[in-house]
Amino acid sequence: MDPSYRIVPSAAAKTASVQETAGSLGLHDTLQYGPRTIATEIKTESGLKGRLESWEETQDNLKLTMQRNVYGMHAPMRLLMERKIVSANPHMPALPQSNLHLDILMGRDETIEPGDIFGGLENGGSLNIHRDMEKKRNI
């Protein structure tokens, strides 16, 4: 948890170009800046995608920081501990499941998402329950 009052996620980190990573001879310095890739040089995505992907994380970080400053250090630590305990889901993997406890702790209990209605049934259930349990328990 990074203590920050940021409401909106920060813009994506600026990628390095060859001009910025050039050594004394004008070539890319691989030892200092890592291997050169075309994907880092040509950035076709806007910053909006990165901000949307980290929106929930930023909002959660803001809430935890506010709790820490209002109630003390124990409040966010307790909430994070409860989330960790609840996220360890002991249910059978072949049965449809939802983690309502985690949704309540994350504050998502008042929102309706497609996963709430369809329940993740798009790929169908597995018929071999024993294999699924062995896979989950690493047997």
Side-chain angles (χ1 to χ4, degrees):
M1 178 181 88
D2 179 34
S4 170
Y5 290 112
R6 183 177 298 277
I7 297 173
V8 179
S10 61
K14 185 180 178 206
T15 59
S17 66
V18 175
Q19 290 82 18
E20 296 170 351
T21 62
S24 61
L25 299 176
L27 299 174
H28 175 72
D29 191 1
T30 306
L31 293 176
Q32 186 174 1
Y33 298 104
R36 178 179 167 205
T37 62
I38 301 295
T40 58
E41 293 179 21
I42 303 172
K43 187 175 180 183
T44 58
E45 304 170 352
S46 65
L48 181 63
K49 181 179 179 184
R51 287 183 178 212
L52 289 175
E53 289 174 352
S54 61
W55 176 259
E56 284 187 29
E57 179 184 348
T58 305
Q59 294 297 313
D60 187 44
N61 190 12
L62 174 68
K63 290 176 187 174
L64 292 173
T65 302
M66 296 294 280
Q67 280 185 354
R68 188 190 78 196
N69 291 336
V70 172
Y71 301 113
M73 191 64 183
H74 76 282
M77 287 177 61
R78 178 180 175 183
L79 186 62
L80 290 172
M81 179 186 64
E82 289 175 351
R83 286 182 190 172
K84 184 177 179 182
I85 291 169
V86 167
S87 65
N89 199 353
H91 298 295
M92 294 188 61
L95 301 175
Q97 58 189 357
S98 69
N99 201 340
L100 181 63
H101 305 310
L102 186 60
D103 287 344
I104 291 171
L105 290 173
M106 296 288 288
R108 295 184 303 225
D109 56 332
E110 296 177 353
T111 60
I112 298 175
E113 297 176 354
D116 296 334
I117 295 171
F118 299 115
L121 299 175
E122 60 273 356
N123 59 1
S126 174
L127 299 177
N128 193 347
I129 296 175
H130 295 288
R131 184 186 68 215
D132 292 340
M133 284 301 290
E134 288 172 356
K135 184 178 178 183
K136 182 177 181 180
R137 303 287 182 202
N138 295 327
I139 297 176

